[in-house]
Amino acid sequence: MAVASAAPGSIFCKQLLFSLLVLILLCDACQKISLRVPSHLQAETLVGKVNLEECLKSASLILSSDPTFRILEDGSIYTTHDLILSSERKSFSIFLSDRQKQEQKTIEVVLSARENKAPKKRHAKDTALKRSKRRWGPIPCSLMENSLGPFPQHIQQIQSDTAQNYTIFYSISGPGVDKEPYNLFYIERDTGDIFCTRSIDREQYQQFALYGYATTADGYAPEYPLPLIIKIEDDNDNAPYFENKLTIFTVPENCRTGTSVGKVTAIDADEPDTLHTRLKYKILQQIPDHPKHFSIHPDTGIITTTTPLLDREKCDTYQLIMEVRDMGGQPFGLFNTGTITISLEDENDNPPSFTETSYVTEVEENRIDVEILRMKVQDQDLPNTPHSRAVYTILQGNENGNFKISTDPNTNEGVLCVVKPLNYEVNRQVILQVGVVNEAQFSKAANSQTPTMCTTTVTVKIKDSDEGPECHPPVKVIQSEDGFPAGQELLGYKAIDPETRSGEGLRYKKLGDEDHWFEINEQTGDLRTVKVLDRESKFVKNNQYNISVVAVDAVGRSCTGTLVVSLTDKNDHPPQINKEVTICQNNEDFAVLAPVDPDGPENGPPFQFLLDNSASKNWVLEEKDGKTAILRQRQNLDYNNYFVPIKIKDRHGLVATHVLSVRVCDCSVSSECNLPAKNLRDVRPNVILGKWAILAMVLGSVLLLCILFTCFCVTAKRTVKKCFPEDIAQQNLIVSNTEGPGEEVTEASIRLPMQTSNICDTSMSVGTVGGQGIKTQQSFEMVKGGYTLDSNKGGGHQTLESIKGVGQGDTGRYTYTDWQSFTQPRLGEKVYLCGQDEEHKHCEDYVRSYNYEGKGSLAGSVGCCSDRQEEEGLEFLDHLEPKFRTLAKTCVKK
């Protein structure tokens, strides 16, 4: 099958083709090829194919001497338009050129016409189809985008070799035919001509991959599908544009020349790596335009600085109008513009400065934590940044630390304050030198020098005020010796009045004296000892004893000072030692003695240890290092407690005798020794009582005798005032919760409660009736008219006077016998009748209410027979023995 392609070329290409034909004559002939073709050839018909590589392997240019024919890279020869061979032969040359090796070759092609035969139709009776050599291959072609037509526009033609023998019908498929974009291409069924129906945008479709088919009338495909690649050639129809609509770059001010600011990028939608996308950048305008500070590389788009004079304080933002153009920046290239914003970053290139060269202010003396002045500064750098925030420093005049300066974070002002009181009497004014810098380090510009610190002078005038006493220094130290006796004078703390510079009119008081060693003179402040000064006291720390003193002036203003009494050590304490020692014979047969001297180191060790002669027969004392000694047994002693007297001297010979209690145990550690403190052996020390010990014993004996005498007197007084009757029941409580049968109540078993109006100094006896007799008989007086009883038998109202026969004017007292003889029979009768009557009718008169009998009635209260709510005459229960107090509390209503 022969495939022909015919595409209209541009006039420019044809002129180029003819201009190169002249060179063919200068080329070497390579070979000669003869081809037999039909006498009539249509446009884009495949004439034949030659092997170009046999002549020149790397041909960069392939041209035909006859414009009627077009040569492809694979050696295929196509007609460019319809051709009729008028003669039997037609020849033309193929020109090959290699530009790198500077070689040129030519191939001569001779075409000879052959007789056309009628096409042979394929009939069903043919059982076999004999194919010729396959020549069906892809034919690349191109189409210019945005073509103006006319449409439909012929692209190329495909033909099959089998068309010489059979009737072939052509068809195509793929994008642009039966896929999107639909109906862009179509093919003539009989001729194989392919046409384009409209213009194409390369930026949308770069190429189309189609398939061509050759089939017979009955659907038989003598050829494989033919891949057809239609490439869309680019047209410079897209102008480049900047990638970002708004581009902002930053660069530090005062930067060096050539500092990179940023890179701009543009995009061109045309075919890459072509002249259509070769871009050039240019700065059209700078705003503000003077002086010129920036430049741009035309190819890369990198913007750089051209001067070191960028100053943010003069201009903080620049705008650049940029242009980007394709076609390598040629005037006919397409272009676009954009705006670039460049912001300058602030640098600390402007030092702060005070708005005033000097300041004057005033403050009262003794005022603290008070603001006295605010100072303003000006700085051209960016506000509220470390480049403009001020840091103030007092350079001179604040040697005593009376002032402090700080920065107000809101106003950036310097705030001067007084933090320590000023004294008008010492200085009436203070001159300060104040400097200011920024928080950030100063950045030296390329055209500037490092400035010096800006300073100013502040004069502070001190105003006088009437102030209280001054305690200066706050702590005063005086020297004294250990053991300083009581009643001695010591120089005290002295305060002064700052106005008069003297201590006149000041009064002194103690605020603190832990052990009350001193008393203070209010007028002079001098101290007087009331105790012996003891350096070894627990109130002495580091040989110092502190007294707090307050000085008060006439109007009550005060100051406080501390007086420190520094005590020099005196050797007044002998060495002390723990007097209980344990020796465990299973572990060690000795004990280590470690005495302690309360005095200072100069009056302490080395110690000298001496063993009493009486203890040397059983014990040995060995000095170790001047601070300790070892007590050892001469031979193993029995497990027991021993007294061992020793003497210990300090370095100055002050000696103390100690009697050690030594326990010898069968143990491993001292805590396991449980030996009782008895059977003491060895030498006991001879104890001699002093005069103070004897006096203490005498006073103790006298005190003990006084205590005994006092107890005796109290006991005797309580015995005399005993005024309650004897306890007939012998102070024994009777168990009364038994449920056994009760005893018959008789008159003889009745015991009456006795009530008196005056019991003190009176004895009371209680008797029993019914054969027992009266155990004791003593006088018992009752107040006349104390009780009134009603007889059950007679029903008359009888009184004790009526029984005894005493008149109305009798003011005497009744004896216990009279009272008993009156109440006993009547109460016995009542009880008996109650026991006989189950309905207890006779008990109705036990309790009766009596009307008021008038003033001065001789009839007294009936006591237990009355309905009064309170009980009277039971005061004697308060004098019972302790055993009956519980019972008395139960019976008496509190």
Side-chain angles (χ1 to χ4, degrees), residues 5-65:
S5 174
S10 62
I11 299 176
F12 175 76
C13 295
K14 290 181 178 180
Q15 292 177 350
L16 180 63
L17 179 62
F18 285 108
S19 62
L20 294 177
L21 290 178
V22 182
L23 300 176
I24 297 177
L25 300 175
L26 303 176
C27 298
D28 298 335
C30 182
Q31 58 183 345
K32 183 176 181 180
I33 297 176
S34 299
L35 296 176
R36 292 180 64 83
V37 297
S39 60
H40 178 71
L41 295 176
Q42 295 182 352
E44 297 295 332
T45 300
L46 179 63
V47 177
K49 188 175 182 180
V50 297
N51 190 354
L52 302 179
E53 294 183 354
E54 291 181 357
C55 185
L56 188 62
K57 290 185 178 181
S58 57
S60 58
L61 180 63
I62 304 174
L63 296 176
S64 174
S65 61

Side-chain angles (χ1 to χ4, degrees), residues 590-609:
F590 61 88
V592 179
L593 307 180
V596 176
D597 197 329
D599 293 325
E602 63 276 4
N603 294 319
F607 300 120
Q608 183 179 1
F609 300 86

Side-chain angles (χ1 to χ4, degrees), residues 746-781:
T746 60
E747 294 182 6
S749 62
I750 298 299
R751 302 226 177 158
L752 297 177
M754 290 156 288
Q755 184 172 353
T756 65
S757 61
N758 189 5
I759 300 179
C760 293
D761 299 331
T762 305
S763 300
M764 182 175 96
S765 65
V766 179
T768 60
V769 184
Q772 296 296 331
I774 298 174
K775 185 174 182 180
T776 57
Q777 182 68 35
Q778 296 180 0
S779 63
F780 187 84
E781 296 183 358

Side-chain angles (χ1 to χ4, degrees), residues 100-244:
Q100 294 182 355
K101 296 182 179 181
Q102 301 295 326
E103 295 182 6
Q104 292 86 22
K105 299 290 183 179
T106 58
I107 299 176
E108 184 179 357
V109 180
V110 179
L111 301 180
S112 57
R114 63 187 177 185
E115 183 179 357
N116 291 331
K117 296 180 180 180
K120 181 180 179 181
K121 295 184 179 179
R122 181 173 177 268
H123 300 283
K125 61 181 181 180
D126 295 338
T127 58
L129 183 64
K130 185 177 180 181
R131 294 186 177 182
S132 61
K133 184 178 180 181
R134 174 179 172 81
R135 299 177 64 183
W136 183 263
I139 303 174
C141 63
S142 62
L143 184 64
M144 182 68 66
E145 72 166 328
N146 303 322
S147 176
L148 300 178
F151 298 105
Q153 181 180 359
H154 186 267
I155 300 176
Q156 67 179 4
Q157 182 186 30
I158 60 174
Q159 284 185 347
S160 174
D161 292 342
T162 59
Q164 299 177 7
N165 301 320
Y166 305 100
T167 301
I168 298 298
F169 299 101
Y170 301 97
S171 63
I172 58 175
S173 67
V177 181
D178 54 359
K179 296 180 181 180
E180 289 189 356
Y182 296 102
N183 302 322
L184 181 61
F185 304 103
Y186 72 91
I187 188 171
E188 290 185 352
R189 179 182 179 186
D190 297 329
T191 63
D193 291 323
I194 300 175
F195 295 90
C196 176
T197 61
R198 58 185 180 270
S199 63
I200 303 173
D201 186 5
R202 191 207 67 85
E203 284 69 42
Q204 187 175 7
Y205 303 102
Q206 283 77 30
Q207 67 179 13
F208 293 92
L210 306 180
Y211 283 93
Y213 306 94
T215 59
T216 61
D218 57 357
Y220 174 72
E223 300 284 358
Y224 289 108
L226 175 66
L228 297 175
I229 304 299
I230 301 177
K231 182 179 179 182
I232 308 302
E233 296 182 359
D234 184 45
D235 183 23
N236 188 23
D237 58 343
N238 291 279
Y241 62 92
F242 288 100
E243 185 175 4
N244 297 321

Side-chain angles (χ1 to χ4, degrees), residues 754 765-767 778 780-781 814-821:
M754 290 156 288
S765 65
V766 179
Q778 296 180 0
F780 187 84
E781 296 183 358
Y814 300 105
T815 63
Y816 177 77
T817 304
D818 296 336
W819 169 253
Q820 186 177 13
S821 62

Side-chain angles (χ1 to χ4, degrees), residues 618-828:
N618 292 329
W619 303 93
V620 177
L621 192 61
E622 303 174 357
E623 294 186 9
K624 190 174 182 182
D625 54 0
K627 295 182 180 180
T628 59
I630 296 177
L631 181 64
R632 193 187 303 274
Q633 308 172 74
R634 288 188 179 272
Q635 64 276 350
N636 290 337
L637 302 176
D638 295 336
Y639 300 145
N640 211 328
N641 293 337
Y642 299 89
F643 282 134
V644 180
I646 64 172
K647 294 182 180 181
I648 305 177
K649 294 182 180 180
D650 60 16
R651 64 165 61 189
H652 297 296
L654 185 61
V655 64
T657 300
H658 304 280
V659 179
L660 303 181
S661 176
V662 183
R663 295 185 299 173
V664 181
C665 292
D666 182 13
C667 59
S668 298
V669 293
S670 59
S671 60
E672 297 176 356
C673 182
N674 296 321
L675 191 64
K678 61 181 181 178
N679 300 328
L680 299 177
R681 298 186 177 184
D682 277 5
V683 179
R684 295 178 180 269
N686 297 326
V687 179
I688 301 176
L689 296 178
K691 58 182 180 179
W692 295 106
I694 296 174
L695 179 59
M697 293 174 63
V698 172
L699 293 177
S701 300
V702 173
L703 181 60
L704 181 60
L705 290 176
C706 291
I707 294 173
L708 293 175
F709 181 73
T710 303
C711 294
F712 175 76
C713 293
V714 174
T715 304
K717 185 176 181 180
R718 294 185 61 183
T719 304
V720 172
K721 290 186 178 182
K722 183 176 182 182
C723 54
F724 50 86
E726 295 181 1
D727 189 2
I728 304 301
Q730 298 179 357
Q731 299 181 352
N732 293 324
L733 296 176
I734 300 174
V735 179
S736 60
N737 59 353
T738 178
E739 297 183 359
E743 298 178 356
E744 179 126 1
V745 180
T746 60
E747 294 182 6
S749 62
I750 298 299
R751 302 226 177 158
L752 297 177
M754 290 156 288
Q755 184 172 353
T756 65
S757 61
N758 189 5
I759 300 179
C760 293
D761 299 331
T762 305
S763 300
M764 182 175 96
S765 65
V766 179
T768 60
V769 184
Q772 296 296 331
I774 298 174
K775 185 174 182 180
T776 57
Q777 182 68 35
Q778 296 180 0
S779 63
F780 187 84
E781 296 183 358
M782 302 295 293
V783 175
K784 182 166 60 176
Y787 289 89
T788 303
L789 297 178
D790 181 17
S791 175
N792 188 38
K793 289 183 178 182
H797 185 72
Q798 297 181 357
T799 62
L800 191 58
E801 291 84 351
S802 65
I803 298 301
K804 187 178 179 183
V806 180
Q808 294 291 335
D810 188 5
T811 59
R813 297 179 178 273
Y814 300 105
T815 63
Y816 177 77
T817 304
D818 296 336
W819 169 253
Q820 186 177 13
S821 62
F822 173 74
T823 59
Q824 191 77 5
R826 289 164 176 78
L827 293 177

